[in-house]
Amino acid sequence: MADTSARILRLLSLLEARVEWPGAELAERLDVSARTLRRDVDTLRELGYPVDAAKGPGGGYRLGRGGKLPPLVLDDDQAIAIALALQTAPATVTGIDDAVTRALTTLRQVMPTRLRAASEAFEVTSLRNYWEFSAPPIDIATLQTVGAAIRTSRVLRFDYRDPTGAIPAPGQPGFRPPREVEPHHLVVWAGRWYLIAREHRHRTWHTYRVDRIHHRSPAGVAFTPHPLTDDDLTRLVVQNPDRGDTPGPWQCVGSATLELPAGVVARWAPGGSVVQPLDPHHSRLTLCGWSWTGVAGLFITFDTGLSDVEPPELVAALGRIGQRLRATASQPTNLSG
């Protein structure tokens, strides 16, 4: 009986995971015969779960609309995965710490004893790695507004903060009227949230940092979404120097011109850096760090020529590194062994 109950819960979990399952594939996943599968489906129906039979070659099953569905049905692997995800999620959104803790507590309360014990074996503490150059966390209300506009395919109207975080008023330097965009996709990359959107009037694609968005009005008119591939997302975020990045809040910020195209530099630049295209073969990179030697080391990782280096502290740090490397290279090589 226990095996049958576990199998029926597994069946319900599978039905919730996909729109439709071919009967043969579903039976194979459960390691049962077609007859046993039909009997288990009938059991779910008797319990009030709307399972529809799909017609056509081979037949299949899908979870119907309505009916009395459980708030959450998880198999063992799913429950452990969610418990770990709740504990290891990066702190990129503000206002949800308490909700995350309560969600983990609720999840463990409804787990069987055996599974709760397995979940509690993964007590995880996250510590900050300063190489991550973390971005400012995003307000949950902004994220919900942007996400809802994407889900409902509604035009989004917002002010876009300048690199200092301010929104210039009309008549002030840098003032721009609110953007009106068709939001398509949210992307998390290098610890930062990006909105990929198409300008509503001119139909040009842009990438915006979500932490710089200040929503102004309710959702606008509906639009027809445009499909985006993984290559599109890479081009619009990873390889895009104009993705709205701003220098990180570190005490050392330096710039230099690199003998590399902006798309290449944007792909490999660390978080908290800004890339400016100059021509097809050169770009200007602004980096930040906790020391001038650290900033200089980041520039060196690009393994290319540097020019117009600023400020003098960065020039001096590069000189010191050069002297150390030359001294190391001049030492005799031990070939013994």
Side-chain angles (χ1 to χ4, degrees), residues 39-247:
R39 192 162 54 238
D40 288 348
V41 168
D42 289 340
T43 300
L44 284 178
R45 289 168 175 164
E46 291 171 1
L47 293 172
Y49 301 108
V51 182
D52 298 334
K55 298 180 180 180
Y61 298 96
R62 59 173 172 261
L63 204 57
R65 293 184 177 277
K68 183 181 179 182
L69 294 178
L72 187 66
V73 176
L74 302 171
D75 61 26
D76 291 13
D77 291 342
Q78 290 172 324
I80 294 296
I82 292 176
L84 283 173
L86 287 170
Q87 295 183 78
T88 59
T92 58
V93 181
T94 61
I96 63 170
D97 289 352
D98 181 60
V100 168
T101 301
R102 287 187 289 109
L104 182 59
T105 300
T106 301
L107 177 65
R108 285 173 170 168
Q109 286 175 344
V110 299
M111 286 180 175
T113 302
R114 141 188 88 74
L115 196 55
R116 182 168 60 251
S119 165
E120 291 174 348
F122 298 100
E123 289 293 339
V124 181
T125 299
S126 297
L127 298 177
R128 182 180 181 185
N129 180 344
Y130 283 90
W131 280 99
E132 293 174 356
F133 299 101
S134 301
I138 298 171
D139 178 65
I140 184 61
T142 299
L143 201 58
Q144 289 174 328
T145 298
V146 174
I150 294 173
R151 177 176 54 83
T152 59
S153 299
R154 295 281 177 174
V155 169
L156 190 64
R157 188 168 185 263
F158 60 87
D159 290 316
Y160 199 53
R161 306 179 192 275
D162 67 19
T164 69
I167 302 175
Q172 292 182 338
F175 167 75
R176 284 195 58 179
R179 272 75 161 173
E180 291 189 353
V181 304
E182 299 171 357
H184 277 70
H185 211 91
L186 278 172
V187 175
V188 179
W189 182 70
R192 286 155 174 75
W193 290 78
Y194 297 90
L195 168 65
I196 296 177
R198 190 164 63 168
E199 207 279 333
H200 183 52
R201 291 185 175 84
H202 303 293
R203 299 294 191 268
T204 53
W205 288 98
H206 297 274
T207 303
Y208 302 93
R209 277 273 296 273
V210 178
D211 57 294
R212 294 176 62 182
I213 289 176
H214 181 261
H215 185 241
R216 285 181 60 97
S217 59
V221 298
F223 66 90
T224 301
H226 182 83
L228 291 172
T229 66
D230 289 345
D231 288 342
D232 292 329
L233 302 183
T234 298
R235 174 176 53 83
L236 290 166
V237 177
V238 179
Q239 298 174 342
N240 182 13
D242 187 22
R243 56 187 174 223
D245 284 341
T246 55

Side-chain angles (χ1 to χ4, degrees), residues 7-15 26 30 37 40 44:
R7 189 179 67 244
I8 290 175
L9 284 174
R10 173 66 172 160
L11 170 60
L12 186 56
S13 175
L14 290 171
L15 289 170
L26 198 55
L30 296 169
L37 174 62
D40 288 348
L44 284 178

Side-chain angles (χ1 to χ4, degrees), residues 299-320:
F299 275 107
I300 291 172
T301 62
F302 284 90
D303 191 24
T304 188
L306 305 176
S307 60
D308 301 324
V309 179
E310 295 178 344
E313 291 86 349
L314 178 56
V315 176
L318 287 167
R320 290 193 299 271

